[in-house]
Amino acid sequence: MTGLKALAWTLDDPARARRLLDLTGLTPDALRAGATDPAILGALLDFLSGHEPDLVACAEAIGATPTELIRAREALS
């Protein structure tokens, strides 16, 4: 659930969504088709972890802590 909330938050901003696609190599179709796929959610959480301001902002927006987002990523491995 944390991953899906983080995905929704990320996609809410067009510039951030474009950066996600550019940096991960995902396509919009792959993202839509794999929104619950652990590999896709892992790529999203890696993306957020790679830019601390986004990690912190996302955590605050979804009612989590940055540590919880990182733990969610580890749980997907």
Side-chain angles (χ1 to χ4, degrees), residues 54-66:
D54 281 348
L55 179 69
V56 171
C58 178
E60 289 176 3
I62 68 170
T65 66

Side-chain angles (χ1 to χ4, degrees), residues 42-68:
L44 163 72
L45 293 169
D46 284 342
F47 165 78
L48 292 173
S49 296
H51 187 66
E52 187 176 2
D54 281 348
L55 179 69
V56 171
C58 178
E60 289 176 3
I62 68 170
T65 66
T67 301
E68 288 171 329

Side-chain angles (χ1 to χ4, degrees), residues 9-63:
W9 178 85
T10 300
L11 298 178
D12 188 49
D13 177 69
R16 190 172 44 240
R18 171 55 39 205
R19 193 164 38 91
L20 168 68
L21 296 176
D22 289 346
L23 292 176
T24 63
L26 293 168
T27 65
D29 290 337
L31 192 55
R32 276 190 288 280
T36 59
D37 181 325
I40 299 290
L41 294 176
L44 163 72
L45 293 169
D46 284 342
F47 165 78
L48 292 173
S49 296
H51 187 66
E52 187 176 2
D54 281 348
L55 179 69
V56 171
C58 178
E60 289 176 3
I62 68 170

